[in-house]
Amino acid sequence: MEAPPDNDVLWARALHFQHDDGSPALSGISLGVREGEILAVSGPRGSGKTTLLRCLSGLAPVRRGEVWFNSVPVHTMGPLTRERLRRDRFGWIDPAPSLVPELNAWENAALPLMLRGTSRRRAKTAAMEWLERLDIGEGARKRPHQLVQAERQRVCIARALAPAPSVLFADEPTAPLHRADRAHVLRTLTTAARSHGITVVLATHDAETAALADRTVSLLDGRRVQTVHLPPVAEPTETEGRAACSLSV
């Protein structure tokens, strides 16, 4: 078993994954993610973006292939060890906001810290910092049902950032947001990641979102593909157009 490069915080080799119905989701994907890098995983719906993030984060057990985090093999870990890794070192943002309905916004954002044993006061301070940065501080005492969907998603993003994860997995994190909100949240997310040294793996089908990343990996039908940008075709001049017409007669 070959160890990953020293400068890669995440490393995957020859990943294969099948859905429960037997259909392939990933077919031999290999990649490395450097520490502090923002990597965009792009591709159309059904290309395997979410499955790749789930395998890299330990949410989905790898059937074939290898996944390493800081030179530790994730693919050989048992369920409880993977769960501790996700709790202590990883953050996750879903495309749809999911919050505990009985807790208010700041309690939801502070929940991962309190589950780690952080005091309520310190957890609230960290949660409020991110809620303010994401312009949802005024709603900190509101329950999820009192917030609109875009506000609930901001709380979910604050919840993922408050524990200062080593790696943040973001699966279409701005999908529920309006265009103007999307730009602000993405700037906050990328600025926070760079200032705090957080590695980000971002799944997106949006070219503008992918452009904020340091590097982009493109998927199609569970495989890595190279995107080829063809030069624009020049419009024919009037003389060339007349000549083409005369030749076709």
Side-chain angles (χ1 to χ4, degrees):
M1 187 165 53
E2 179 185 350
D6 291 337
N7 60 341
D8 283 349
V9 66
L10 280 173
W11 190 69
R13 180 170 60 183
L15 279 186
H16 290 78
F17 190 87
Q18 288 185 338
H19 294 299
D20 292 337
D21 62 2
S23 59
L26 300 177
S27 301
I29 290 181
S30 299
L31 59 82
V33 188
R34 294 183 296 274
E35 186 172 1
E37 181 180 30
I38 299 176
L39 176 71
V41 180
S42 68
R45 184 182 297 274
S47 59
K49 302 186 301 294
T50 298
T51 303
L52 178 58
L53 265 63
R54 288 175 59 85
C55 287
L56 292 174
S57 67
L59 271 171
V62 176
R63 310 290 173 85
R64 288 170 52 199
E66 301 174 16
V67 175
W68 297 73
F69 168 68
N70 280 343
S71 300
V72 176
V74 178
H75 56 281
T76 62
M77 292 179 178
L80 291 178
T81 307
R82 291 201 314 272
E83 183 179 344
R84 283 196 297 269
L85 177 65
R86 294 194 303 270
R87 182 192 65 198
D88 297 339
R89 306 300 297 276
F90 294 162
W92 182 278
I93 304 171
D94 273 315
S98 177
L99 299 171
V100 180
E102 294 82 8
L103 303 181
N104 63 29
W106 80 255
E107 289 169 334
N108 267 284
L111 186 59
L113 284 166
M114 289 191 285
L115 289 175
R116 288 185 186 180
T118 305
S119 70
R120 185 177 175 88
R121 177 177 294 182
R122 290 182 60 188
K124 181 179 181 180
T125 299
M128 287 301 302
E129 176 188 346
W130 286 109
L131 291 173
E132 294 288 351
R133 292 179 69 168
L134 289 161
D135 289 345
I136 189 63
E138 292 183 357
R141 294 190 174 277
K142 293 182 178 179
R143 298 285 179 88
H145 74 274
Q146 297 173 301
L147 303 171
V148 299
Q149 187 181 39
E151 291 173 329
R152 293 197 295 271
Q153 185 68 349
R154 290 172 185 264
V155 175
C156 290
I157 295 172
R159 180 180 61 192
L161 288 167
S166 299
V167 182
L168 176 63
F169 296 92
D171 185 11
E172 300 282 4
T174 58
L177 304 180
H178 297 297
R179 189 176 183 86
D181 288 341
R182 190 181 307 163
H184 169 68
V185 168
L186 284 172
R187 282 197 303 271
T188 302
L189 181 60
T190 53
T191 300
R194 291 193 167 95
S195 64
H196 289 68
I198 300 172
T199 303
V200 178
V201 184
L202 169 70
T204 183
H205 67 275
D206 179 60
E208 292 183 9
T209 300
L212 295 173
D214 301 314
R215 185 166 55 97
T216 300
V217 168
S218 299
L219 301 187
L220 183 64
D221 295 334
R223 299 179 183 273
R224 284 189 64 171
V225 296
Q226 297 292 330
T227 303
V228 178
H229 298 283
L230 298 176
V233 178
E235 293 290 334
T237 64
E238 185 176 349
T239 303
E240 291 170 338
R242 285 200 301 268
C245 290
S246 64
L247 288 172
S248 65
V249 173

